[in-house]
Amino acid sequence: MKYYTAALAGLLLAGAVQALIEACNAVPAADKRLECLKAAMGATAVAPQAAAIDTLEQAFASMRAGLGVGLSYNDYQSSVVTLARALAVYQQQGSALPSTALEEALEAYKDAGIVWGRSIEFYAHSDNVRTYPNAPPVSRTGLEAIAFKYKLPLVNSNFLGWEKGVPVEFARSSLWGIALVKAKQGFLEIRDPHPTPKPPPVSPAQEADIAAANALAKEQQCQENPQVERTGLAGVDTLFAAACTHGKQLNIACASGICRVMA
């Protein structure tokens, strides 16, 4: 249902863009008409890109939903192939934004399938079930690389501890968790490729200076509830400014929580 909703949203966006282009053509002034058409053509590129991302996100959501209901190994492998195909289709589109995180999410799903499949093959031999009841040994299943790659914990494969192995259920759930985190990261990247950078955290010393600067501004009757803004640095001093109610600006210098009014 969500897939069809995303597709319908894409069609509605495309229809809205076409209507915008027609409206632009009706603008009498040539320069204004050109500006309008440029904006409309930009929207034309955005509409299919948003629809493609929605479709890909639905493919990842379907993968997660399948894990929740419990898939057989064969069904799981089919789901991974379907997801890989959906990511490849997205990447082939001209408007597609690259995402290493989405590729890593798919890789984690594939590696979980490898762990699962190697375990099935290993325990298909009844002797192995008796000899290695705790986990398939990495040395006999070729799982060393995956265990090292994801830092998976190893346990004693048998009671004597002769060999180390990967606990399969734990490994699968761990890799599925990694895939989920990577997928969320990937969709944030392609939906907002240029996010607004977050300001650096305020240190305790800076907090002390801000509080002292606000207190001094209030003491100087700049405002009843003054709000100071940092304006720069001067040696060891942090500089602040506050816009006062009488139309003037109060300039303050602070260091280690001690502030003074600047001339």
Side-chain angles (χ1 to χ4, degrees), residues 98-117:
S99 171
T100 301
L102 289 179
E103 294 175 355
E104 290 175 345
L106 175 61
E107 188 173 0
Y109 281 128
K110 289 180 178 179
D111 287 340
I114 292 173
V115 172
W116 194 353

Side-chain angles (χ1 to χ4, degrees), residues 12 32 62 65 68 123 128 132 148 150 164-165 182 186 191 207 211 217 229 239 254:
L12 290 175
K32 298 296 183 183
S62 297
Y123 285 122
N128 289 338
Y132 303 97
F148 178 79
Y150 296 101
K164 298 294 184 180
K182 290 292 185 180
R191 287 194 183 279
E207 289 181 349
E229 294 184 1
L239 306 181
C254 300

Side-chain angles (χ1 to χ4, degrees), residues 49-73:
Q49 179 178 321
I53 294 174
D54 288 343
T55 300
L56 180 60
E57 192 166 20
Q58 180 56 37
F60 273 89
S62 297
M63 184 73 193
R64 293 196 304 272
L67 300 178
V69 299
L71 294 173
S72 68
Y73 171 72

Side-chain angles (χ1 to χ4, degrees), residues 160-181:
L160 298 178
W162 291 337
E163 296 186 68
K164 298 294 184 180
V166 174
V168 177
E169 291 187 7
F170 178 83
R172 284 187 311 180
S173 61
S174 297
L175 296 184
W176 292 341
I178 291 172
L180 175 60
V181 171

